[in-house]
mmCIF file with all atom_site columns, all heavy atoms in Angstrom:
data_model
loop_
_atom_site.group_PDB
_atom_site.id
_atom_site.type_symbol
_atom_site.label_atom_id
_atom_site.label_alt_id
_atom_site.label_comp_id
_atom_site.label_asym_id
_atom_site.label_entity_id
_atom_site.label_seq_id
_atom_site.pdbx_PDB_ins_code
_atom_site.Cartn_x
_atom_site.Cartn_y
_atom_site.Cartn_z
_atom_site.occupancy
_atom_site.B_iso_or_equiv
_atom_site.pdbx_formal_charge
_atom_site.auth_seq_id
_atom_site.auth_comp_id
_atom_site.auth_asym_id
_atom_site.auth_atom_id
_atom_site.pdbx_PDB_model_num
ATOM 1   N N   . THR G 1 33  ? 99.006  106.396 90.140  1.00 82.00 ? 51  THR G N   1
ATOM 2   C CA  . THR G 1 33  ? 99.744  106.512 91.410  1.00 82.00 ? 51  THR G CA  1
ATOM 3   C C   . THR G 1 33  ? 99.124  105.666 92.507  1.00 82.00 ? 51  THR G C   1
ATOM 4   O O   . THR G 1 33  ? 99.794  105.310 93.459  1.00 82.00 ? 51  THR G O   1
ATOM 5   C CB  . THR G 1 33  ? 99.769  107.958 91.893  1.00 82.00 ? 51  THR G CB  1
ATOM 6   O OG1 . THR G 1 33  ? 98.445  108.398 92.191  1.00 82.00 ? 51  THR G OG1 1
ATOM 7   C CG2 . THR G 1 33  ? 100.440 108.888 90.879  1.00 82.00 ? 51  THR G CG2 1
ATOM 8   N N   . TYR G 1 36  ? 95.528  109.059 96.388  1.00 81.00 ? 54  TYR G N   1
ATOM 9   C CA  . TYR G 1 36  ? 94.634  110.194 96.189  1.00 81.00 ? 54  TYR G CA  1
ATOM 10  C C   . TYR G 1 36  ? 95.359  111.522 96.387  1.00 81.00 ? 54  TYR G C   1
ATOM 11  O O   . TYR G 1 36  ? 95.263  112.433 95.575  1.00 81.00 ? 54  TYR G O   1
ATOM 12  C CB  . TYR G 1 36  ? 93.429  110.058 97.139  1.00 81.00 ? 54  TYR G CB  1
ATOM 13  C CG  . TYR G 1 36  ? 92.378  111.100 96.933  1.00 81.00 ? 54  TYR G CG  1
ATOM 14  C CD1 . TYR G 1 36  ? 91.487  111.028 95.873  1.00 81.00 ? 54  TYR G CD1 1
ATOM 15  C CD2 . TYR G 1 36  ? 92.287  112.193 97.803  1.00 81.00 ? 54  TYR G CD2 1
ATOM 16  C CE1 . TYR G 1 36  ? 90.526  112.002 95.677  1.00 81.00 ? 54  TYR G CE1 1
ATOM 17  C CE2 . TYR G 1 36  ? 91.314  113.151 97.619  1.00 81.00 ? 54  TYR G CE2 1
ATOM 18  C CZ  . TYR G 1 36  ? 90.438  113.071 96.555  1.00 81.00 ? 54  TYR G CZ  1
ATOM 19  O OH  . TYR G 1 36  ? 89.505  114.037 96.375  1.00 81.00 ? 54  TYR G OH  1
ATOM 20  N N   . ASP G 1 41  ? 98.194  116.376 94.298  1.00 93.00 ? 59  ASP G N   1
ATOM 21  C CA  . ASP G 1 41  ? 99.411  117.188 94.326  1.00 93.00 ? 59  ASP G CA  1
ATOM 22  C C   . ASP G 1 41  ? 100.005 117.346 92.930  1.00 93.00 ? 59  ASP G C   1
ATOM 23  O O   . ASP G 1 41  ? 100.449 118.433 92.552  1.00 93.00 ? 59  ASP G O   1
ATOM 24  C CB  . ASP G 1 41  ? 100.455 116.557 95.258  1.00 93.00 ? 59  ASP G CB  1
ATOM 25  C CG  . ASP G 1 41  ? 100.101 116.699 96.731  1.00 93.00 ? 59  ASP G CG  1
ATOM 26  O OD1 . ASP G 1 41  ? 99.181  117.488 97.042  1.00 93.00 ? 59  ASP G OD1 1
ATOM 27  O OD2 . ASP G 1 41  ? 100.719 116.030 97.556  1.00 93.00 ? 59  ASP G OD2 1
ATOM 28  N N   . LYS G 1 65  ? 94.375  120.262 76.326  1.00 82.00 ? 83  LYS G N   1
ATOM 29  C CA  . LYS G 1 65  ? 93.877  119.090 76.960  1.00 82.00 ? 83  LYS G CA  1
ATOM 30  C C   . LYS G 1 65  ? 94.826  117.899 76.807  1.00 82.00 ? 83  LYS G C   1
ATOM 31  O O   . LYS G 1 65  ? 95.168  117.219 77.771  1.00 82.00 ? 83  LYS G O   1
ATOM 32  C CB  . LYS G 1 65  ? 92.489  118.714 76.383  1.00 82.00 ? 83  LYS G CB  1
ATOM 33  C CG  . LYS G 1 65  ? 91.844  117.526 77.058  1.00 82.00 ? 83  LYS G CG  1
ATOM 34  C CD  . LYS G 1 65  ? 90.457  117.286 76.476  1.00 82.00 ? 83  LYS G CD  1
ATOM 35  C CE  . LYS G 1 65  ? 89.805  116.082 77.105  1.00 82.00 ? 83  LYS G CE  1
ATOM 36  N NZ  . LYS G 1 65  ? 88.471  115.816 76.540  1.00 82.00 ? 83  LYS G NZ  1
ATOM 37  N N   . TYR G 1 67  ? 98.007  118.106 76.135  1.00 85.00 ? 85  TYR G N   1
ATOM 38  C CA  . TYR G 1 67  ? 99.224  118.459 76.883  1.00 85.00 ? 85  TYR G CA  1
ATOM 39  C C   . TYR G 1 67  ? 99.059  118.133 78.357  1.00 85.00 ? 85  TYR G C   1
ATOM 40  O O   . TYR G 1 67  ? 99.954  117.521 78.974  1.00 85.00 ? 85  TYR G O   1
ATOM 41  C CB  . TYR G 1 67  ? 99.505  119.956 76.675  1.00 85.00 ? 85  TYR G CB  1
ATOM 42  C CG  . TYR G 1 67  ? 100.685 120.464 77.486  1.00 85.00 ? 85  TYR G CG  1
ATOM 43  C CD1 . TYR G 1 67  ? 101.983 120.239 77.064  1.00 85.00 ? 85  TYR G CD1 1
ATOM 44  C CD2 . TYR G 1 67  ? 100.486 121.142 78.680  1.00 85.00 ? 85  TYR G CD2 1
ATOM 45  C CE1 . TYR G 1 67  ? 103.065 120.702 77.823  1.00 85.00 ? 85  TYR G CE1 1
ATOM 46  C CE2 . TYR G 1 67  ? 101.541 121.613 79.443  1.00 85.00 ? 85  TYR G CE2 1
ATOM 47  C CZ  . TYR G 1 67  ? 102.844 121.372 79.012  1.00 85.00 ? 85  TYR G CZ  1
ATOM 48  O OH  . TYR G 1 67  ? 103.902 121.816 79.757  1.00 85.00 ? 85  TYR G OH  1
ATOM 49  N N   . TYR G 1 69  ? 97.001  116.007 79.888  1.00 85.00 ? 87  TYR G N   1
ATOM 50  C CA  . TYR G 1 69  ? 96.973  114.558 80.128  1.00 85.00 ? 87  TYR G CA  1
ATOM 51  C C   . TYR G 1 69  ? 98.355  113.921 80.005  1.00 85.00 ? 87  TYR G C   1
ATOM 52  O O   . TYR G 1 69  ? 98.716  113.055 80.765  1.00 85.00 ? 87  TYR G O   1
ATOM 53  C CB  . TYR G 1 69  ? 95.962  113.864 79.226  1.00 85.00 ? 87  TYR G CB  1
ATOM 54  C CG  . TYR G 1 69  ? 94.559  113.911 79.780  1.00 85.00 ? 87  TYR G CG  1
ATOM 55  C CD1 . TYR G 1 69  ? 93.665  114.908 79.439  1.00 85.00 ? 87  TYR G CD1 1
ATOM 56  C CD2 . TYR G 1 69  ? 94.140  112.938 80.697  1.00 85.00 ? 87  TYR G CD2 1
ATOM 57  C CE1 . TYR G 1 69  ? 92.398  114.953 79.982  1.00 85.00 ? 87  TYR G CE1 1
ATOM 58  C CE2 . TYR G 1 69  ? 92.852  112.964 81.233  1.00 85.00 ? 87  TYR G CE2 1
ATOM 59  C CZ  . TYR G 1 69  ? 91.991  113.982 80.867  1.00 85.00 ? 87  TYR G CZ  1
ATOM 60  O OH  . TYR G 1 69  ? 90.741  114.007 81.420  1.00 85.00 ? 87  TYR G OH  1
ATOM 61  N N   . THR G 1 70  ? 99.123  114.397 79.038  1.00 86.00 ? 88  THR G N   1
ATOM 62  C CA  . THR G 1 70  ? 100.479 113.871 78.833  1.00 86.00 ? 88  THR G CA  1
ATOM 63  C C   . THR G 1 70  ? 101.368 114.207 80.029  1.00 86.00 ? 88  THR G C   1
ATOM 64  O O   . THR G 1 70  ? 102.092 113.345 80.560  1.00 86.00 ? 88  THR G O   1
ATOM 65  C CB  . THR G 1 70  ? 101.111 114.435 77.548  1.00 86.00 ? 88  THR G CB  1
ATOM 66  O OG1 . THR G 1 70  ? 100.272 114.063 76.455  1.00 86.00 ? 88  THR G OG1 1
ATOM 67  C CG2 . THR G 1 70  ? 102.514 113.888 77.332  1.00 86.00 ? 88  THR G CG2 1
ATOM 68  N N   . ALA G 1 92  ? 102.083 96.362  103.246 1.00 38.00 ? 110 ALA G N   1
ATOM 69  C CA  . ALA G 1 92  ? 102.286 95.222  104.162 1.00 38.00 ? 110 ALA G CA  1
ATOM 70  C C   . ALA G 1 92  ? 102.096 95.690  105.592 1.00 38.00 ? 110 ALA G C   1
ATOM 71  O O   . ALA G 1 92  ? 101.496 95.010  106.402 1.00 38.00 ? 110 ALA G O   1
ATOM 72  C CB  . ALA G 1 92  ? 103.628 94.609  103.945 1.00 38.00 ? 110 ALA G CB  1
ATOM 73  N N   . MET G 1 93  ? 102.619 96.849  105.942 1.00 39.00 ? 111 MET G N   1
ATOM 74  C CA  . MET G 1 93  ? 102.478 97.367  107.287 1.00 39.00 ? 111 MET G CA  1
ATOM 75  C C   . MET G 1 93  ? 101.024 97.696  107.574 1.00 39.00 ? 111 MET G C   1
ATOM 76  O O   . MET G 1 93  ? 100.532 97.476  108.663 1.00 39.00 ? 111 MET G O   1
ATOM 77  C CB  . MET G 1 93  ? 103.342 98.628  107.474 1.00 39.00 ? 111 MET G CB  1
ATOM 78  C CG  . MET G 1 93  ? 104.826 98.320  107.522 1.00 39.00 ? 111 MET G CG  1
ATOM 79  S SD  . MET G 1 93  ? 105.849 99.805  107.558 1.00 39.00 ? 111 MET G SD  1
ATOM 80  C CE  . MET G 1 93  ? 105.210 100.632 109.012 1.00 39.00 ? 111 MET G CE  1
ATOM 81  N N   . ASP G 1 97  ? 97.941  96.752  110.661 1.00 40.00 ? 115 ASP G N   1
ATOM 82  C CA  . ASP G 1 97  ? 97.603  97.921  111.478 1.00 40.00 ? 115 ASP G CA  1
ATOM 83  C C   . ASP G 1 97  ? 96.338  97.699  112.282 1.00 40.00 ? 115 ASP G C   1
ATOM 84  O O   . ASP G 1 97  ? 95.385  97.102  111.801 1.00 40.00 ? 115 ASP G O   1
ATOM 85  C CB  . ASP G 1 97  ? 97.419  99.128  110.525 1.00 40.00 ? 115 ASP G CB  1
ATOM 86  C CG  . ASP G 1 97  ? 97.362  100.440 111.264 1.00 40.00 ? 115 ASP G CG  1
ATOM 87  O OD1 . ASP G 1 97  ? 97.397  100.443 112.496 1.00 40.00 ? 115 ASP G OD1 1
ATOM 88  O OD2 . ASP G 1 97  ? 97.277  101.475 110.608 1.00 40.00 ? 115 ASP G OD2 1
ATOM 89  N N   . LEU G 1 101 ? 90.302  97.631  111.341 1.00 38.00 ? 119 LEU G N   1
ATOM 90  C CA  . LEU G 1 101 ? 88.917  97.366  111.723 1.00 38.00 ? 119 LEU G CA  1
ATOM 91  C C   . LEU G 1 101 ? 88.111  98.654  111.677 1.00 38.00 ? 119 LEU G C   1
ATOM 92  O O   . LEU G 1 101 ? 86.979  98.652  111.172 1.00 38.00 ? 119 LEU G O   1
ATOM 93  C CB  . LEU G 1 101 ? 88.857  96.724  113.108 1.00 38.00 ? 119 LEU G CB  1
ATOM 94  C CG  . LEU G 1 101 ? 87.459  96.378  113.611 1.00 38.00 ? 119 LEU G CG  1
ATOM 95  C CD1 . LEU G 1 101 ? 86.776  95.388  112.659 1.00 38.00 ? 119 LEU G CD1 1
ATOM 96  C CD2 . LEU G 1 101 ? 87.538  95.782  114.998 1.00 38.00 ? 119 LEU G CD2 1
ATOM 97  N N   . GLU G 1 106 ? 84.121  102.369 108.857 1.00 57.00 ? 124 GLU G N   1
ATOM 98  C CA  . GLU G 1 106 ? 83.924  103.611 108.109 1.00 57.00 ? 124 GLU G CA  1
ATOM 99  C C   . GLU G 1 106 ? 83.498  103.316 106.671 1.00 57.00 ? 124 GLU G C   1
ATOM 100 O O   . GLU G 1 106 ? 82.623  103.980 106.135 1.00 57.00 ? 124 GLU G O   1
ATOM 101 C CB  . GLU G 1 106 ? 85.191  104.447 108.118 1.00 57.00 ? 124 GLU G CB  1
ATOM 102 C CG  . GLU G 1 106 ? 85.550  105.022 109.471 1.00 57.00 ? 124 GLU G CG  1
ATOM 103 C CD  . GLU G 1 106 ? 86.903  105.692 109.474 1.00 57.00 ? 124 GLU G CD  1
ATOM 104 O OE1 . GLU G 1 106 ? 87.507  105.922 108.411 1.00 57.00 ? 124 GLU G OE1 1
ATOM 105 O OE2 . GLU G 1 106 ? 87.379  105.999 110.575 1.00 57.00 ? 124 GLU G OE2 1
ATOM 106 N N   . LEU G 1 110 ? 80.059  104.325 104.742 1.00 66.00 ? 128 LEU G N   1
ATOM 107 C CA  . LEU G 1 110 ? 80.098  105.026 103.491 1.00 66.00 ? 128 LEU G CA  1
ATOM 108 C C   . LEU G 1 110 ? 79.275  104.314 102.422 1.00 66.00 ? 128 LEU G C   1
ATOM 109 O O   . LEU G 1 110 ? 78.520  104.967 101.674 1.00 66.00 ? 128 LEU G O   1
ATOM 110 C CB  . LEU G 1 110 ? 81.550  105.160 103.019 1.00 66.00 ? 128 LEU G CB  1
ATOM 111 C CG  . LEU G 1 110 ? 81.824  106.074 101.837 1.00 66.00 ? 128 LEU G CG  1
ATOM 112 C CD1 . LEU G 1 110 ? 81.318  107.478 102.090 1.00 66.00 ? 128 LEU G CD1 1
ATOM 113 C CD2 . LEU G 1 110 ? 83.327  106.089 101.553 1.00 66.00 ? 128 LEU G CD2 1
ATOM 114 N N   . TRP G 1 114 ? 76.033  105.642 100.278 1.00 81.00 ? 132 TRP G N   1
ATOM 115 C CA  . TRP G 1 114 ? 75.886  105.547 98.820  1.00 81.00 ? 132 TRP G CA  1
ATOM 116 C C   . TRP G 1 114 ? 74.567  104.882 98.461  1.00 81.00 ? 132 TRP G C   1
ATOM 117 O O   . TRP G 1 114 ? 73.890  105.298 97.513  1.00 81.00 ? 132 TRP G O   1
ATOM 118 C CB  . TRP G 1 114 ? 77.011  104.743 98.201  1.00 81.00 ? 132 TRP G CB  1
ATOM 119 C CG  . TRP G 1 114 ? 78.362  105.380 98.321  1.00 81.00 ? 132 TRP G CG  1
ATOM 120 C CD1 . TRP G 1 114 ? 78.660  106.712 98.547  1.00 81.00 ? 132 TRP G CD1 1
ATOM 121 C CD2 . TRP G 1 114 ? 79.621  104.730 98.211  1.00 81.00 ? 132 TRP G CD2 1
ATOM 122 N NE1 . TRP G 1 114 ? 80.010  106.884 98.597  1.00 81.00 ? 132 TRP G NE1 1
ATOM 123 C CE2 . TRP G 1 114 ? 80.623  105.702 98.389  1.00 81.00 ? 132 TRP G CE2 1
ATOM 124 C CE3 . TRP G 1 114 ? 79.989  103.428 98.013  1.00 81.00 ? 132 TRP G CE3 1
ATOM 125 C CZ2 . TRP G 1 114 ? 81.979  105.389 98.344  1.00 81.00 ? 132 TRP G CZ2 1
ATOM 126 C CZ3 . TRP G 1 114 ? 81.341  103.109 97.972  1.00 81.00 ? 132 TRP G CZ3 1
ATOM 127 C CH2 . TRP G 1 114 ? 82.315  104.072 98.129  1.00 81.00 ? 132 TRP G CH2 1
ATOM 128 N N   . ARG G 1 122 ? 65.286  102.552 92.746  1.00 92.00 ? 140 ARG G N   1
ATOM 129 C CA  . ARG G 1 122 ? 66.507  101.770 92.563  1.00 92.00 ? 140 ARG G CA  1
ATOM 130 C C   . ARG G 1 122 ? 67.013  101.247 93.908  1.00 92.00 ? 140 ARG G C   1
ATOM 131 O O   . ARG G 1 122 ? 67.414  100.106 94.032  1.00 92.00 ? 140 ARG G O   1
ATOM 132 C CB  . ARG G 1 122 ? 67.563  102.648 91.871  1.00 92.00 ? 140 ARG G CB  1
ATOM 133 C CG  . ARG G 1 122 ? 68.773  101.886 91.414  1.00 92.00 ? 140 ARG G CG  1
ATOM 134 C CD  . ARG G 1 122 ? 69.682  102.772 90.582  1.00 92.00 ? 140 ARG G CD  1
ATOM 135 N NE  . ARG G 1 122 ? 68.976  103.241 89.400  1.00 92.00 ? 140 ARG G NE  1
ATOM 136 C CZ  . ARG G 1 122 ? 69.271  104.350 88.735  1.00 92.00 ? 140 ARG G CZ  1
ATOM 137 N NH1 . ARG G 1 122 ? 70.302  105.087 89.115  1.00 92.00 ? 140 ARG G NH1 1
ATOM 138 N NH2 . ARG G 1 122 ? 68.566  104.734 87.706  1.00 92.00 ? 140 ARG G NH2 1
ATOM 139 N N   . ILE G 1 125 ? 64.710  98.392  95.138  1.00 92.00 ? 143 ILE G N   1
ATOM 140 C CA  . ILE G 1 125 ? 64.975  97.163  94.372  1.00 92.00 ? 143 ILE G CA  1
ATOM 141 C C   . ILE G 1 125 ? 66.278  96.544  94.810  1.00 92.00 ? 143 ILE G C   1
ATOM 142 O O   . ILE G 1 125 ? 66.371  95.332  95.042  1.00 92.00 ? 143 ILE G O   1
ATOM 143 C CB  . ILE G 1 125 ? 64.960  97.444  92.847  1.00 92.00 ? 143 ILE G CB  1
ATOM 144 C CG1 . ILE G 1 125 ? 63.536  97.789  92.408  1.00 92.00 ? 143 ILE G CG1 1
ATOM 145 C CG2 . ILE G 1 125 ? 65.529  96.261  92.048  1.00 92.00 ? 143 ILE G CG2 1
ATOM 146 C CD1 . ILE G 1 125 ? 63.427  98.312  91.004  1.00 92.00 ? 143 ILE G CD1 1
ATOM 147 N N   . GLN G 1 131 ? 69.536  92.636  100.391 1.00 78.00 ? 149 GLN G N   1
ATOM 148 C CA  . GLN G 1 131 ? 69.349  92.527  101.846 1.00 78.00 ? 149 GLN G CA  1
ATOM 149 C C   . GLN G 1 131 ? 68.315  91.466  102.187 1.00 78.00 ? 149 GLN G C   1
ATOM 150 O O   . GLN G 1 131 ? 68.488  90.694  103.137 1.00 78.00 ? 149 GLN G O   1
ATOM 151 C CB  . GLN G 1 131 ? 68.928  93.885  102.406 1.00 78.00 ? 149 GLN G CB  1
ATOM 152 C CG  . GLN G 1 131 ? 69.057  94.008  103.906 1.00 78.00 ? 149 GLN G CG  1
ATOM 153 C CD  . GLN G 1 131 ? 68.751  95.403  104.369 1.00 78.00 ? 149 GLN G CD  1
ATOM 154 O OE1 . GLN G 1 131 ? 67.822  96.034  103.862 1.00 78.00 ? 149 GLN G OE1 1
ATOM 155 N NE2 . GLN G 1 131 ? 69.522  95.907  105.350 1.00 78.00 ? 149 GLN G NE2 1
ATOM 156 N N   . LEU G 1 158 ? 74.249  98.674  90.836  1.00 85.00 ? 176 LEU G N   1
ATOM 157 C CA  . LEU G 1 158 ? 75.542  98.018  91.013  1.00 85.00 ? 176 LEU G CA  1
ATOM 158 C C   . LEU G 1 158 ? 76.669  98.800  90.342  1.00 85.00 ? 176 LEU G C   1
ATOM 159 O O   . LEU G 1 158 ? 77.780  98.893  90.891  1.00 85.00 ? 176 LEU G O   1
ATOM 160 C CB  . LEU G 1 158 ? 75.494  96.582  90.468  1.00 85.00 ? 176 LEU G CB  1
ATOM 161 C CG  . LEU G 1 158 ? 74.620  95.634  91.277  1.00 85.00 ? 176 LEU G CG  1
ATOM 162 C CD1 . LEU G 1 158 ? 74.436  94.294  90.518  1.00 85.00 ? 176 LEU G CD1 1
ATOM 163 C CD2 . LEU G 1 158 ? 75.225  95.378  92.656  1.00 85.00 ? 176 LEU G CD2 1
ATOM 164 N N   . ILE G 1 168 ? 86.885  104.570 96.448  1.00 59.00 ? 186 ILE G N   1
ATOM 165 C CA  . ILE G 1 168 ? 87.181  104.524 97.888  1.00 59.00 ? 186 ILE G CA  1
ATOM 166 C C   . ILE G 1 168 ? 88.262  103.484 98.178  1.00 59.00 ? 186 ILE G C   1
ATOM 167 O O   . ILE G 1 168 ? 89.079  103.698 99.056  1.00 59.00 ? 186 ILE G O   1
ATOM 168 C CB  . ILE G 1 168 ? 85.886  104.250 98.725  1.00 59.00 ? 186 ILE G CB  1
ATOM 169 C CG1 . ILE G 1 168 ? 86.123  104.611 100.188 1.00 59.00 ? 186 ILE G CG1 1
ATOM 170 C CG2 . ILE G 1 168 ? 85.437  102.810 98.643  1.00 59.00 ? 186 ILE G CG2 1
ATOM 171 C CD1 . ILE G 1 168 ? 86.302  106.046 100.457 1.00 59.00 ? 186 ILE G CD1 1
#
Side-chain angles (χ1 to χ4, degrees):
T51 64
Y54 185 77
D59 287 347
K83 183 177 178 181
Y85 175 79
Y87 274 94
T88 301
M111 289 174 57
D115 192 357
L119 181 60
E124 291 172 11
L128 189 57
W132 295 339
R140 191 172 300 156
I143 291 170
Q149 196 175 40
L176 291 170
I186 197 67

